Amino acid sequence: MDSAPVRAAEFFAGIGLVRTALERVKGAQIQVVWANDIKQAKYDAYAANFPDAEDHFVVRDIRRIEASDLPTGIELATSSFPCIDLSLAGNRRGLVGEQSGMFWEFAKIVEGMSPRPSVILLENVHGFATSHGGKDLEAALASLSKLDYSLDVLAIDARHFVPQSRPRMFIVGIQQDKLPSQALHDVPPVSDVRPAWVRAIHETHRQTLDMHYIDLPALPEGPRDLDGFVETDVAGDLWWDEGRVEAFVRSLSDVQKARFEALLAGNTISYRTAYRRTRQGVSVWELRKDGIAGCLRTTGGGSSKQALVRLGRGSKAVRWMTPREYANLMGAHEYKLLAGTPNQQLFGFGDAVVVDVIEWIGNKYLLPVLRPAGTE
């Protein structure tokens, strides 16, 4: 039995939410010993939360990193490579894009590592599966298969853990000689972590690539409202003035306005989130019909920021969501907001992973593979 902590490397580490999650895995059995990102502002946020950052965090373009730069004995490598070229909201250039094409740099480094990590975990948007008609995903899977990884694909919406709709896909690669006995090589049944479109990926590629799946438990139900995630004691000047709130209301469609008025007349205080959209060339606000937040985004402009709407007992109030609320919705309630401007903080969280999702994958999948004797 190997009782030593799993040594992990975090590529595209951002503000460190993968590390936050991995350190919560049972018995603190996973330890991040190397991390990288290109942005100094993200390092600053990471360092404010992890005092040992200067010992292992490399602020450098991944294209200037060699396999030899990493410490030895890496068993787990994680990669949340940029999604902008894969996202349906992005430019859809795919893996030839300047940002999402960084996947190939990650794969090149892994290829050069000796020994290679026993397990790799990749995270990205669902658009990765359909980019260039599925050819981008096929190419990525093929490149990892050539490095002797058997591959599994998962899809998890963070709403099972936090009140935020944030669907993401994950690729788990396991070196062939590390595949556990519970790994199965036929087409997986449809489940909450492998919906029909993920099952189709397995079915399409299992004859030509090394594919497997491992049975996983059902995902938890998840919260249905924002209670415990919103700040109730923010400064009064953060709430919009009456004129701005009225402009917000005027922009709502008839359906949206009816939803707004019903909540306004309610006997309890309710919170909803809203995004600004452009409909037929006109900027309008749209209010979510459920009690959870929309997918938090990187703050590249006003339309990407999410507003919080408080309604009930005849009272209405609107403001932008705060960095603390973004942190909470990413499962990082205890994350210290000590570095960067509020906009940089919003950007960092919008560009990150949900802690609870990675922790769940770590406990239910990664640790049983990497330390089978030490898990329940």
Side-chain angles (χ1 to χ4, degrees):
M1 179 191 347
D2 188 351
S3 60
V6 173
R7 288 167 61 82
E10 186 183 1
F11 290 80
F12 309 100
I15 62 174
L17 295 199
V18 168
R19 174 173 174 175
T20 301
L22 294 179
E23 291 189 346
R24 293 184 187 177
V25 171
K26 294 175 187 173
Q29 294 185 71
I30 301 179
Q31 178 183 11
V32 173
V33 297
W34 185 88
N36 162 254
D37 201 275
I38 193 174
K39 292 185 180 294
Q40 181 67 37
K42 289 184 176 179
Y43 167 81
D44 293 341
Y46 185 108
N49 285 269
F50 303 107
D52 63 347
E54 64 179 15
D55 298 330
H56 71 270
F57 194 115
V58 179
V59 182
R60 191 186 306 162
D61 189 325
I62 193 173
R63 290 170 291 192
R64 295 179 49 236
I65 290 175
E66 304 290 338
S68 58
D69 295 330
L70 275 74
T72 58
I74 298 296
E75 296 179 76
L76 170 65
T78 69
S79 174
S80 298
F81 62 98
C83 68
I84 189 168
D85 300 306
L86 300 170
S87 170
L88 297 179
N91 55 43
R92 297 293 274 173
R93 293 193 64 210
L95 292 185
V96 300
E98 177 73 14
Q99 299 296 318
S100 300
M102 292 300 102
F103 163 81
W104 300 114
E105 301 300 325
F106 166 75
K108 182 176 72 174
I109 293 169
V110 170
E111 181 178 13
M113 295 173 70
S114 181
R116 290 175 186 142
S118 300
V119 177
I120 56 175
L121 174 67
L122 281 71
E123 177 266 354
N124 218 287
V125 294
H126 284 189
F128 188 15
T130 56
S131 178
H132 290 153
K135 296 297 184 183
D136 282 338
L137 178 60
E138 180 180 6
L141 293 175
S143 71
L144 298 174
S145 184
K146 288 178 181 177
L147 300 182
D148 211 28
Y149 286 101
S150 180
L151 304 160
D152 191 3
V153 180
L154 311 173
I156 300 177
D157 192 329
R159 69 187 303 161
H160 289 279
F161 300 90
V162 295
Q164 179 196 172
S165 174
R166 193 179 187 86
R168 292 293 185 266
M169 66 177 290
F170 299 86
I171 299 171
V172 180
I174 305 176
Q175 283 282 292
Q176 295 286 352
D177 63 351
K178 301 293 184 180
L179 270 175
S181 59
Q182 66 266 36
L184 304 169
H185 295 280
D186 52 355
V187 178
V190 170
S191 66
D192 54 2
V193 295
R194 297 184 186 89
W197 65 269
V198 169
R199 184 184 189 277
I201 292 171
H202 282 264
E203 191 167 24
T204 298
H205 299 299
R206 74 185 186 97
Q207 298 293 341
T208 55
L209 301 174
D210 293 316
M211 303 287 292
H212 75 273
Y213 75 94
I214 292 176
D215 283 325
L216 294 168
L219 294 169
E221 176 117 358
R224 300 192 179 190
D225 57 49
L226 295 164
D227 286 351
F229 290 80
V230 299
E231 292 191 278
T232 57
D233 58 351
V234 299
D237 59 0
L238 291 182
W239 294 100
W240 297 352
D241 62 31
E242 184 177 353
R244 192 172 183 184
V245 172
E246 290 307 316
F248 173 93
V249 175
R250 286 195 302 272
S251 82
L252 299 174
S253 67
D254 290 342
V255 171
Q256 296 279 322
K257 193 167 294 184
R259 183 179 300 158
F260 182 96
E261 296 293 342
L263 291 168
L264 178 64
N267 293 324
T268 59
I269 298 296
S270 298
Y271 290 96
R272 291 292 187 272
T273 61
Y275 268 128
R276 195 163 55 207
R277 314 281 194 188
T278 299
R279 303 297 187 195
Q280 298 178 334
V282 178
S283 179
V284 299
W285 282 96
E286 292 185 355
L287 194 68
R288 280 190 70 93
K289 63 181 179 181
D290 57 18
I292 69 173
C295 186
L296 302 181
R297 306 174 187 172
T298 55
T299 49
S303 62
S304 65
K305 292 173 66 177
Q306 201 159 172
L308 182 70
V309 184
R310 186 184 67 199
L311 297 166
R313 301 171 186 163
S315 171
K316 56 181 180 285
V318 185
R319 62 169 170 80
W320 294 118
M321 296 191 79
T322 66
R324 173 49 59 197
E325 288 165 341
Y326 268 48
N328 293 346
L329 288 168
M330 296 301 288
H333 291 264
E334 298 175 2
Y335 196 90
K336 301 180 184 71
L337 302 174
L338 301 175
T341 66
N343 205 54
Q344 286 173 326
Q345 293 168 350
L346 295 176
F347 189 100
F349 288 112
D351 201 29
V353 298
V354 171
V355 171
D356 305 70
V357 175
I358 302 299
E359 181 184 3
W360 188 89
I361 294 173
N363 278 320
K364 306 301 183 183
Y365 202 136
L366 305 181
L367 195 60
V369 170
L370 290 160
R371 292 290 183 273
T375 58
E376 298 176 3

